[in-house]
């Protein structure tokens, strides 16, 4: 946690979810009561096919709906892509850019991620820029160097208040059940905070830093208590309302 920052618990459904999965979203909205709303922001990043319906079904629940990627252009001949403008048009208020699965599966470079983030911010979307090292990079002691490169080259310079979020997702912790130690996460999140404060001053201090990679209800309390961890980016455990709300409940435990 960072004093003065309202945490964000964001779910990333990846390529999962059909129309009938929206009952889980509904249950999340029902569980996201006033007490929880005062403690944290809740966001679900859906597959493109569900953004519009999810945004409609989330009206009144205070749950925000987002996308998992966007193109850097607003419109044009880009078969299969969706733009930030289209996400906003569907009722989305946020987008993830630079997830390691996009960087790997689609060869996205830091420069591509930066252009996508800029497009998202132009459309007033909350923009979650993902960074993270591979297992080999960690083993060879390159973690901070890799992260510095990703931060310097994929995090945009201009952003509105509350609109930029940075998510640290070590590639080796995604979907594996392996989680870095508290010390490892603390080291990285302090490093990210120092970079952002060095670059943006007070605005860098206010940027939310999420941890992602095998976050579950059983480890959420320990992870969310780490300094400069201002929430989570959750994959598998965001698909079921019970699990996702269990992670959100970590904040009740921390504050009580
Ligand atoms: P898991 O929570 O399934 O490890 O996924 C993390 C992730 O990639 C979220 O973007």
């Amino acid at each position: 946690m960072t004093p003065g920052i309202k945490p964000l618990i964001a779910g990333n459904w990846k390529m999962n979810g059909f129309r009938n999965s929206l009952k889980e979203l509904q249950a999340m909205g029902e569980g996201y009561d006033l007490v929880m709303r005062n403690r944290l922001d809740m966001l679900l990043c859906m597959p493109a096919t569900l953004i519009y319906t999810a945004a409609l079904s989330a009206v009144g629940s205070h749950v925000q709906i987002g996308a998992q990627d966007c193109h850097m252009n607003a419109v044009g001949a880009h078969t299969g892509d969706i733009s930030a403008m289209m996400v906003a048009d569907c009722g989305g208020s946020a987008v993830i850019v630079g997830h390691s699965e996009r960087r790997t599966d689609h060869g996205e470079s830091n420069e591509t991620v930066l252009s996508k983030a800029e497009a998202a911010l132009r459309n007033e979307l909350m923009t979650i820029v993902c960074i993270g090292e591979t297992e080999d990079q960690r083993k060879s002691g390159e973690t901070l160097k890799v992260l510095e490169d990703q931060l310097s080259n994929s995090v945009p310079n201009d952003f509105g208040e509350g609109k930029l979020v940075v998510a640290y997702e070590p590639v080796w912790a995604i979907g594996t059940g392996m989680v870095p130690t508290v010390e490892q996460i603390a080291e990285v999140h302090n490093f990210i905070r120092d970079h952002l404060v060095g670059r943006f001053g007070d605005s860098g201090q206010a940027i939310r830093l999420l941890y992602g990679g095998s976050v579950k209800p059983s480890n959420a309390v320990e992870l969310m208590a780490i300094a400069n961890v201002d929430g989570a980016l959750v994959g598998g455990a965001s698909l079921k309302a019970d699990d996702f709300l269990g992670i959100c409940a970590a904040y009740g435990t921390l504050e009580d």
Side-chain angles (χ1 to χ4, degrees):
M1 302 174 87
T2 309
I5 295 189
K6 190 177 188 191
L8 170 68
I9 304 290
N12 174 9
W13 277 22
K14 308 191 179 183
M15 198 173 72
N16 295 292
F18 297 91
R19 284 183 298 159
N20 72 6
S21 317
L22 293 177
K23 60 183 185 307
E24 294 298 330
L25 181 67
Q26 196 137 18
M28 291 171 194
E30 283 159 17
Y32 186 46
D33 59 16
L34 190 60
V35 177
M36 212 179 256
R37 291 210 296 273
N38 285 332
R39 283 190 178 130
L40 57 95
D41 290 336
M42 183 187 285
L43 166 71
L44 272 304
C45 294
M46 314 298 288
T49 47
L50 291 179
I51 296 171
Y52 179 66
T53 331
L56 277 185
S57 88
V59 168
S61 74
H62 302 270
V63 176
Q64 296 178 57
I65 300 300
Q68 301 166 13
D69 177 49
C70 67
H71 197 274
M72 63 273 275
N73 294 344
V75 292
H78 304 288
T79 303
D81 281 316
I82 58 168
S83 71
M85 193 179 275
M86 289 168 169
V87 173
D89 184 52
C90 281
S93 59
V95 64
I96 299 168
V97 294
H99 192 283
S100 61
E101 287 152 14
R102 301 273 334 162
R103 291 179 187 259
T104 307
D105 296 357
H106 299 270
E108 292 189 5
S109 64
N110 284 325
E111 292 67 29
T112 307
V113 175
L114 175 64
S115 303
K116 291 181 172 206
E118 288 171 343
L121 290 163
R122 272 199 300 279
N123 286 277
E124 303 281 318
L125 298 177
M126 178 166 69
T127 305
I128 303 176
V129 180
C130 297
I131 60 172
E133 82 286 3
T134 63
E135 188 170 20
D136 283 351
Q137 288 164 339
R138 177 158 284 272
K139 282 187 175 148
S140 57
E142 291 173 56
T143 298
L144 298 184
K145 183 169 144 282
V146 168
L147 297 176
E148 174 71 31
D149 184 45
Q150 292 175 334
L151 285 166
S152 300
N153 295 305
S154 55
V155 171
N157 284 323
D158 291 320
F159 50 91
E161 195 182 330
K163 291 294 187 192
L164 180 66
V165 177
V166 174
Y168 169 55
E169 297 204 309
V171 178
W172 51 275
I174 295 176
T176 59
M178 289 195 286
V179 178
T181 63
V182 167
E183 291 72 26
Q184 286 172 327
I185 295 176
E187 181 194 28
V188 166
H189 277 244
N190 290 339
F191 177 79
I192 297 171
R193 179 71 70 207
D194 286 349
H195 172 100
L196 296 173
V197 170
R199 201 163 140 194
F200 304 121
D202 287 348
S203 320
Q205 184 59 44
I207 294 172
R208 289 192 279 203
L209 308 185
L210 309 185
Y211 167 77
S214 298
V215 178
K216 309 213 165 359
S218 57
N219 59 22
V221 173
E222 184 179 38
L223 297 175
M224 297 304 109
I226 302 171
N228 283 316
V229 174
D230 309 315
L233 183 54
V234 185
S238 72
L239 295 170
K240 293 279 172 228
D242 282 353
D243 291 338
F244 197 58
L245 290 168
I247 291 169
C248 295
Y251 280 99
T253 312
L254 293 176
E255 284 169 8
D256 288 343

